[in-house]
Amino acid sequence: IRPKDLDISYPLLKGETIDLVAKVDERVVGFIHGRKEKKMAFKDNNWVEVESIYLGDFRVDKSMRRSGIATQLRNAIIND
């Protein structure tokens, strides 16, 4: 999958598209596709800029579930 093809998932959102895969022994066992953008939010009586993450696809192979892969992918997209 090419990142430019995935951009059609979020045609109206600005920001950065992020695509990550998890591999075990060179086998793809999970992936996450999302988009990060900055937007304004009202907090403590002030408008502040916050980062939002929209997830489009988030999958882990059935055989690898409950192994921490989903948590690692989630953390990676947050910290990217």
Side-chain angles (χ1 to χ4, degrees), residues 15-49:
E16 170 190 7
T17 299
I18 301 169
D19 308 296
L20 303 172
V21 296
K23 288 184 175 182
V24 172
D25 297 327
E26 295 303 312
R27 184 176 137 240
V28 174
V29 295
F31 69 93
I32 191 168
H33 165 69
R35 193 163 190 98
K36 281 186 178 183
E37 72 171 6
K38 301 243 186 235
K39 57 197 256 180
M40 299 302 289
F42 197 70
K43 182 178 178 182
D44 299 326
N45 292 325
N46 290 309
W47 286 99
V48 295
E49 188 175 66

Side-chain angles (χ1 to χ4, degrees), residues 10 22 35 55 70 72:
Y10 303 102
R35 193 163 190 98
L55 296 181
Q72 290 176 16

